[in-house]
Amino acid sequence: MTEQNGLATLIGLMPPPVGAGARVDWEAVQKAWGLAFPSDFKGFVTHYGGGLSDLDLGVLIPSAVTPETCDEPGAPKGGMGFITADTRATWIDTEPTGIAAEAEDLVTWGADGSADLYCWLTHGTPEGWPVVLFSHDDDTWTRFDCGMTEFLSRVLRADGRAQAMRDSALWGAGLRGA
């Protein structure tokens, strides 16, 4: 499944609420981060904005921070940058095994009420970044070899390839019409 097909599938499973969506200055954000974000993530933000709140998933909307919007030195990546910094510290603290990555390879794109963290492993091109989930309940990391919207589509369809999400409010929600 291509990333754009993942977004189309997600929209079919769970149409965005009226008025959802956010505008992002992608050029400024990508300059601040020094990387390009995946196109399905950009599409998700355009359609859904900050996530699937009815299902307890917050998606971090990237922003470029200027001295006028934040007086904290070294904070050009906004809230997404702060959460990513926390995620990277968690990676180091939990010493994950089985995933070939360094803390700096992670960028966090979402979180839920259980303090679970949804990240990309930024190896290769943005369209090929896999999702990495940190489960706060048992301090484990799980890699999913798909992009963000395909991952969410799998979870919403209760697809066995996303088994680690079985206890989430997202699990099978696309089948229930949540």
Side-chain angles (χ1 to χ4, degrees), residues 85-172:
D86 288 344
T87 298
R88 291 172 177 175
T90 300
W91 179 269
I92 292 167
D93 291 345
T94 57
E95 300 176 2
T97 58
I99 301 174
E102 300 295 325
E104 297 77 31
D105 298 333
L106 299 172
V107 172
T108 308
W109 56 261
D112 65 25
S114 299
D116 294 342
L117 301 168
Y118 301 80
C119 312
W120 289 294
L121 180 57
T122 59
H123 291 171
T125 65
E127 303 311 316
W129 290 350
V131 169
V132 178
L133 168 71
F134 174 71
S135 175
H136 188 73
D137 286 340
D138 55 8
D139 288 348
T140 59
W141 294 86
T142 306
R143 176 183 167 143
F144 299 90
D145 288 320
C146 60
M148 174 211 188
T149 57
E150 183 178 341
F151 168 77
L152 291 174
S153 294
R154 287 179 184 182
V155 176
L156 291 173
R157 290 189 323 257
D159 183 316
R161 294 174 291 176
Q163 196 75 353
M165 296 296 298
R166 219 176 177 71
D167 294 332
S168 165
L170 295 167
W171 186 257

Side-chain angles (χ1 to χ4, degrees), residues 41-71:
F41 174 68
K42 293 175 184 178
F44 181 95
V45 169
T46 297
H47 287 83
Y48 292 92
L52 304 172
S53 58
D54 292 347
L55 298 174
D56 195 29
L57 174 68
V59 171
L60 303 169
I61 299 174
S63 61
V65 177
T66 66
E68 293 78 37
T69 61
C70 179
D71 60 1

